[in-house]
Amino acid sequence: MSIRNGKNYRYGIHVPDKKSLSSEQAIEVMPAPAKLYIGLSQHIGAPALPIVAVGDKVKKGQMIGEASGAISANVYSSVSGTVVGIEDIVNGLGQKIKYIVIENDFKNEELLFDDLTDFEAKTLIERIKLAGIVGLGGAGFPTAVKLMPKDPLDILVINGAECEPYLNCDYRLMLERTEDIYRGIIYLKKALNIEKVVVGIEKNKPQAIEAFRRFEDLDVVVLKKQYPMGSEKHLIYCTTGKKVPTGKMPFDVGVCVQNIKTVIACYEAIEKNKPLTEIVLTVSGEGIKNPKNLKVALGTPFKDIIEYCGGETGETAKVIAGGPMMGRAMISLNSFARKTDSGIILLRAKDTSLASPTNCISCGVCAKNCPMRLMPMYIEQSFLAGDYKSAEKYGAMNCLECGSCAFNCPAKRPLVQNIAHSKQKIKEMKQNG
Ligand code: SF4
Ligand code: SF4
């Protein structure tokens, strides 16, 4: 066992963490609803292809969508029941996605994988791929691909920072499923052929730090409470001292980062023979009556989740999928729990800014707050002028979409949205030559 303090990173902001609304709420299992909408695109990459038809009977843990390429992921039914639809639906984030609609028969008949016959790296990675596991911290990148780097890696970093305000799902899992996380780490070490593991936890979670103290082979690193500590590049620097150069990835410096929930999903796939069919998320904010940390079946409608938490207080002005910094404001509640969901946050008008943006006053606050040392105002201005080449020159592609720039912008500029759009335009510009 070793416990040490992480390195200081100069850049980053301090945001009120609002964790206390749900930090003491143990994870509750929400009963699966009568109807579930399971998305075929809950990951980065090509959508899964449906392998069931309307009218088919399915069991919990049965594959209903098959990965359709190297960067894709399998999708499983999270209940037993009947397929009653395969539909394109515009969800609460404005994304048109194909969903498999399943009517729950409440028999809870479940299919499991066979026991593994060996625990060699190749077998573990194949199981993780089969189980449809993707980065559950929000990225949604297929985990098996991350476990097959071109060159050998030397450090596995476990991301226990959870620096987003309001969110506590990783925190509760670190307290309630410490042993399972440890076992998941052992399997990931084996899959990557890595000896060294560091677990980075922000110092506002002393009980979680204490929980991991007992594992002699883990290097527990206490991180400063700073946003966005959970972003890969910061976490790697603060836990290992390694710097990931601009345009490079963690594997370029010999590191693989895995999120707490992803580690548990790997443990369940390998040891419990379970595909990924449920997630743990935090439902919080001053706009929800009973904030909770919930385990929900994938495909559960957000409306049902909100109702299970007692409903809105009546003052809700904004609902966010994810944390308030990196999450996305929802245009409707027509969304369904995905693999990558970490929270549903309901905010009152006084807890969020609903003010219309005004002109940039060139104060430079956004640049001062940017952990990637970018000039957000210039990227935005280039984007608004349709000058995507300049947006790229100002480093748009290196933006983490962390929201630190917009946090204190006096003009309330929608910097993150505009930078995210400029990234899309730059990609299109490159594809079209
Ligand atoms: S913080 Fe806002 S107002 Fe200030 S320079 Fe940046 S975009 Fe402009
Ligand atoms: S420009 Fe990107 S990386 Fe920099 S603060 Fe804004 S969102 Fe974060």
Side-chain angles (χ1 to χ4, degrees):
M1 176 274 295
S2 80
I3 288 205
R4 60 184 170 87
N5 287 325
K7 279 187 169 291
N8 271 335
Y9 188 77
R10 271 178 61 202
Y11 308 106
I13 57 171
H14 297 281
V15 289
D17 72 17
K18 310 277 186 121
K19 302 273 191 191
S20 61
L21 282 174
S22 65
S23 57
E24 298 310 311
Q25 301 292 323
I27 296 166
E28 250 180 72
V29 181
M30 177 183 163
K35 211 185 234 185
L36 298 97
Y37 297 75
I38 304 177
L40 290 169
S41 192
Q42 302 181 49
H43 50 265
I44 283 183
L49 298 174
I51 55 167
V52 286
V54 174
D56 285 359
K57 298 274 184 215
V58 293
K59 291 185 176 169
K60 179 177 177 181
Q62 178 176 333
M63 194 189 292
I64 54 173
E66 189 170 25
S68 62
I71 310 295
S72 185
N74 296 329
V75 174
Y76 291 82
S77 178
S78 45
V79 291
S80 61
T82 306
V83 176
V84 294
I86 299 178
E87 300 170 11
D88 288 330
I89 296 174
V90 177
N91 66 22
L93 297 173
Q95 304 159 325
K96 191 173 178 186
I97 286 174
K98 201 174 278 306
Y99 290 85
I100 296 186
V101 189
I102 298 181
E103 216 162 68
N104 190 354
D105 63 11
F106 297 98
K107 292 184 184 158
N108 204 28
E109 291 173 319
E110 186 170 9
L111 284 180
L112 296 174
F113 300 133
D114 293 336
D115 284 344
L116 289 179
T117 51
D118 69 72
F119 291 85
E120 296 305 316
K122 188 167 168 281
T123 313
L124 300 180
I125 293 169
E126 272 171 12
R127 171 57 59 90
I128 289 166
K129 182 177 178 189
L130 179 66
I133 299 171
V134 300
L136 303 182
F141 190 78
T143 303
V145 178
K146 223 169 155 181
L147 296 176
M148 293 185 289
K150 274 205 312 276
D151 299 310
L153 307 181
D154 50 19
I155 306 182
L156 170 61
V157 175
I158 305 299
N159 187 352
E162 201 169 46
C163 58
E164 273 271 6
Y166 294 98
L167 300 187
N168 279 308
C169 43
D170 287 354
Y171 172 63
R172 291 307 314 179
L173 287 166
M174 285 190 279
L175 296 188
E176 297 177 35
R177 300 198 57 188
T178 320
E179 187 67 35
D180 297 344
I181 294 169
Y182 178 69
R183 295 194 63 75
I185 290 173
I186 301 293
Y187 294 125
L188 290 175
K189 273 173 75 175
K190 177 87 183 173
L192 286 161
N193 192 23
I194 279 178
E195 273 312 307
K196 185 165 174 50
V197 182
V198 295
V199 181
I201 306 175
E202 272 195 351
K203 74 172 183 191
N204 61 343
K205 304 175 186 69
Q207 287 174 279
I209 294 164
E210 196 54 37
F212 281 91
R213 231 178 211 283
R214 62 190 150 111
F215 302 111
E216 302 223 325
D217 49 346
L218 301 185
D219 181 14
V220 180
V221 179
V222 181
L223 303 164
K224 199 167 136 187
K225 187 177 136 4
Q226 185 185 48
Y227 184 85
M229 185 56 83
S231 79
E232 284 194 331
K233 290 189 177 184
H234 293 83
L235 184 71
I236 290 171
Y237 176 71
C238 294
T239 53
T240 70
K242 293 188 182 217
K243 289 185 181 166
V244 182
T246 300
K248 297 285 180 187
M249 301 295 286
F251 60 75
D252 291 311
V253 297
V255 174
C256 177
V257 179
Q258 295 290 347
N259 157 272
I260 292 290
K261 289 197 278 188
T262 313
V263 176
I264 295 183
C266 293
Y267 156 79
E268 294 205 323
I270 292 165
E271 212 164 283
K272 301 289 178 191
N273 299 324
K274 288 184 171 186
L276 182 59
T277 62
E278 53 200 14
I279 48 146
V280 175
L281 48 73
T282 299
V283 187
S284 189
E286 291 81 356
I288 187 89
K289 282 192 183 147
N290 306 313
K292 289 179 189 289
N293 296 296
L294 287 182
K295 186 194 268 192
V296 302
L298 291 175
T300 302
F302 275 24
K303 281 181 191 154
D304 293 11
I305 296 173
I306 290 170
E307 200 174 301
Y308 186 77
C309 295
E312 299 178 21
T313 56
E315 302 169 88
T316 309
K318 195 192 252 185
V319 181
I320 300 170
M325 298 299 288
M326 288 193 83
R328 302 257 315 267
M330 301 184 63
I331 51 175
S332 79
L333 288 183
N334 196 36
S335 272
F336 316 97
R338 303 166 298 173
K339 297 177 184 180
T340 50
D341 281 323
S342 51
I344 305 174
I345 308 302
L346 286 79
L347 300 175
R348 301 170 302 186
K350 60 181 162 188
D351 309 311
T352 183
S353 168
L354 299 172
S356 300
T358 53
N359 289 339
C360 169
I361 56 167
S362 302
C363 63
V365 165
C366 53
K368 189 165 156 273
N369 282 348
C370 176
M372 296 301 287
R373 316 314 301 139
L374 303 177
M375 299 286 207
M377 64 293 209
Y378 293 151
I379 301 175
E380 188 199 37
Q381 284 160 17
S382 304
F383 165 73
L384 293 174
D387 183 357
Y388 309 130
K389 279 197 173 141
S390 292
E392 187 183 16
K393 201 176 81 197
Y394 285 120
M397 297 312 283
N398 290 321
C399 171
L400 309 170
E401 298 179 31
C402 69
S404 302
C405 51
F407 185 65
N408 280 326
C409 169
K412 308 290 177 211
R413 299 295 316 159
L415 292 165
V416 191
Q417 291 91 319
N418 284 335
I419 296 173
H421 285 143
S422 60
K423 285 163 78 174
Q424 191 54 42
K425 290 290 183 191
I426 293 165
K427 276 189 205 151
E428 286 169 16
M429 184 176 77
K430 296 204 158 173
Q431 275 160 9
N432 299 333

